[in-house]
């Protein structure tokens, strides 16, 4: 059911297939920048929704048609997207802040969705995202994954750096992988670090950069004394809503892993992003770290 | 098979049943103090092995017959225990530091056990502990759990404080409990914290006090803004070697939970320790925290 009083959007030059313009909701981190840049490089003219308090300042946003948007104004977003003839929406980057209920500008579709949104916020991240997706789609906007509009950002398979894992890293990869999957299954986090063959630190709400910063401090812990190397494994959550929250690593992850004394980073090939690929790999090579893309058990998208 | 050239130990007044003296290997934390105090209160004369760099200074140790012991001297421990007529050994408290191989004083039984010890150190904590237990028992020393010589330290069932959990705490208890069990199953940690119905921080190698310190900082994280309360759940690992590493909470846990803004603490009734019980409960009451002992699914010991 399409929105009322609206003619079908007409194709514009440079837009994606179907004449339906792509909007990018830009949350925190570098993924939104990468997605918008990639879209522009393919000739599209993405409509950028900068989430206040989350989206970075970046020239590529200024160069694109964009609006600034407070999460409390969620109800105003749908009309704005319709006006801009947006048919497909990419949610990119983190939105850590939850709306303050008293500041929300209520609109009718939002009120109608309220019970579901409340239930979703009570659940994990995944539940929130799946709910937002279904509400948007009921309003005639298709949510697509960043990997669908920018597949070049997906991590390739294999060793991506000059160095690869050495023998002892294999046990760390196994231990961290099992831990990351276990916490992912519970919708807690995506990443885990193993040193000396055992998982020693797990991602919670602090995110991967926070986990790595913590690991740097843990290095002096008695039980890690004399232990070197160690691996960060970041997995797509088993039940992840793939269209909205694919794991990403980038130069900051590499810098954090290096500061934490780790030997390398493992990501899901084809199911996670490597942001700023050239700089990420160059930085890893500079520090002697490996980055390995492993085919996840569930296969590619 | 008993040790050679040794007569059977004779009963001494105040010793435990069977005339076999109890030794307490005192690692870090308050558990060893609690165990030695409890033993002395029952009239026993425990032989205390203070692990250097781990055991606290405490008057109750000075009042007991004791030796100081570097973990590299593991091979000398068995003869010392035999000389002191020790037949039962309690391992209490953490031993975070791993022996430096080059500093180890090798003895024949130790050399014989080496392959197993190396394999054990490559595995998790549980594996190390199970291996140490089996080596001691082959040498005629029975390893008993702290709860066997000091059952009064075990957490009772039910609400132990003036306040109990409120309605919204139940979701936190469920979420933290599921998370703690998941990481316990992987032999990573025992504790997890949930806020607003979801697990937000998981114990790694930093231990429960480290986890709580971290949580205090996470309070300012955007995703937790406006959220209050939250619960720490600490579970016995499903495959835990019960004789050597039962989870414990005490006044420091309560202070840490209070500083982290939590509403309460949940432990396994009959399968975990509450150290310094009166002070722990009084401090929780002072801060308005609850402590709840829940019957673990596997039942009591």
């Amino acid at each position: 059911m399409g929105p009322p009083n609206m003619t079908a959007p007409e194709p514009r030059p440079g837009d994606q297939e179907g004449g339906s313009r792509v909007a990018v909701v830009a949350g925190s981190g570098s993924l939104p920048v990468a997605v918008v840049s990639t879209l522009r490089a393919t000739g599209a003219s993405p409509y950028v929704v900068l989430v206040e308090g989350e989206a970075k300042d970046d020239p590529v946003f200024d160069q694109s048609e964009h609006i600034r948007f407070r999460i409390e104004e969620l109800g105003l977003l749908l009309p704005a997207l319709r006006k801009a003839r947006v048919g497909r929406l990419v949610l990119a980057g983190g939105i850590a802040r939850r709306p303050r209920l008293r500041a929300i500008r209520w609109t009718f579709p939002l009120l109608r969705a309220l019970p579901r949104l409340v239930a979703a916020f009570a659940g994990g991240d995944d539940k929130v995202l799946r709910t937002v997706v279904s509400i948007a789609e009921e309003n005639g906007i298709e949510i697509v994954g960043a990997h669908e509009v920018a597949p070049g950002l997906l991590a390739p398979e294999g060793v991506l750096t000059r160095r690869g894992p050495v023998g002892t890293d294999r046990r760390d990869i196994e231990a961290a992988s099992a831990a990351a999957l276990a916490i992912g299954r519970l919708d807690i986090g995506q990443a885990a670090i193993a040193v000396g063959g055992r998982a020693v630190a797990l991602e919670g709400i602090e995110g991967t950069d926070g986990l790595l910063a913590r690991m740097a401090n843990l290095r002096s812990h008695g039980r890690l004394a004399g232990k070197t190397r160690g691996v960060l494994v970041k997995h797509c959550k088993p039940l992840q809503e793939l269209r909205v929250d694919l794991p990403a690593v980038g130069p900051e992850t590499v810098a954090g892993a290096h500061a934490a004394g780790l030997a390398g980073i493992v990501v899901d090939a084809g199911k996670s992003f490597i942001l700023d690929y050239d700089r990420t790999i160059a930085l890893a090579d500079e520090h002697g770290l490996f980055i390995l893309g492993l085919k996840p058990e569930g296969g590619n998208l």
Side-chain angles (χ1 to χ4, degrees), chain A:
Chain A
M1 191 184 74
N5 304 324
M6 205 187 128
T7 52
E10 282 164 37
R12 294 180 176 203
D15 279 356
Q16 299 293 306
E17 57 187 59
S20 167
R21 192 174 184 193
V22 174
V24 177
V25 174
S28 61
S30 302
L31 180 62
V33 177
V35 170
V36 171
S37 304
T38 305
L39 279 168
R40 291 175 59 87
T42 63
S45 54
Y47 182 75
V48 182
V49 180
L50 299 167
V51 180
E52 258 188 33
E54 301 286 358
K56 285 185 174 186
D57 284 327
D58 196 280
V60 81
F61 294 151
D62 301 330
Q63 291 153 18
S64 311
E65 189 182 352
H66 63 270
I67 52 167
R68 295 187 185 278
F69 158 78
R70 293 190 309 121
I71 46 171
E72 283 84 4
E73 296 167 339
L74 187 62
L76 305 181
L77 186 55
L78 283 173
L81 294 176
R82 282 184 197 131
K83 204 172 150 207
R85 302 178 158 229
V86 167
R88 300 202 296 160
L89 186 70
V90 179
L91 305 174
I95 301 185
R97 205 163 69 75
R98 295 287 174 249
R100 282 168 302 138
L101 283 182
R102 302 182 62 175
I104 287 180
R105 290 185 60 168
W106 293 102
T107 60
F108 184 69
L110 197 58
L111 274 173
R112 210 171 36 183
L114 185 64
R116 270 186 300 162
L117 280 171
V118 169
F121 274 110
D125 254 17
D126 282 357
K127 232 185 233 173
V128 174
L129 295 169
R130 277 194 295 269
T131 305
V132 168
V133 165
S134 70
I135 292 169
E137 295 193 336
E138 284 162 28
N139 284 275
I141 290 174
E142 189 193 357
I143 308 271
V144 294
H147 62 280
E148 296 177 70
V149 298
L153 298 175
L154 289 172
E157 196 179 352
V159 174
L160 311 178
T161 41
R162 250 183 261 132
R163 297 203 183 173
V166 302
T168 57
D169 297 331
R170 297 286 169 189
R171 288 187 307 133
D172 290 343
I173 293 173
E174 273 172 41
S177 176
L181 281 179
I183 62 174
R185 225 171 273 133
L186 292 167
D187 196 13
I188 298 172
Q190 302 175 319
I193 293 171
V195 177
R198 55 176 304 198
V200 297
L202 309 176
E203 181 182 313
I205 206 164
E206 78 279 19
T208 306
D209 291 340
L211 171 71
L212 288 167
R214 179 147 63 86
M215 185 63 216
N217 291 326
L218 277 178
R219 277 287 171 190
S220 58
H221 192 286
R223 287 163 95 180
L224 289 178
K227 293 224 165 76
T228 56
R229 303 186 71 89
V231 170
L232 171 80
V233 176
K234 194 161 181 180
H235 275 313
C236 201
K237 294 179 196 166
L239 297 172
Q240 189 140 19
E241 167 54 74
L242 293 175
R243 284 169 297 182
V244 285
D245 196 26
L246 232 42
V249 300
E252 283 155 40
T253 323
V254 171
H258 174 63
L262 300 183
I265 297 169
V266 177
V267 296
D268 286 335
K271 244 178 164 174
S272 64
F273 294 120
I274 298 187
L275 306 176
D276 215 342
Y277 188 88
D278 292 345
R279 203 154 67 87
T280 300
I281 302 300
L283 192 63
D285 282 337
E286 188 185 310
H287 291 316
L289 265 74
F290 69 83
I291 300 181
L292 171 65
L294 279 184
K295 212 89 172 174
E297 276 165 39
N300 270 10
L301 295 174

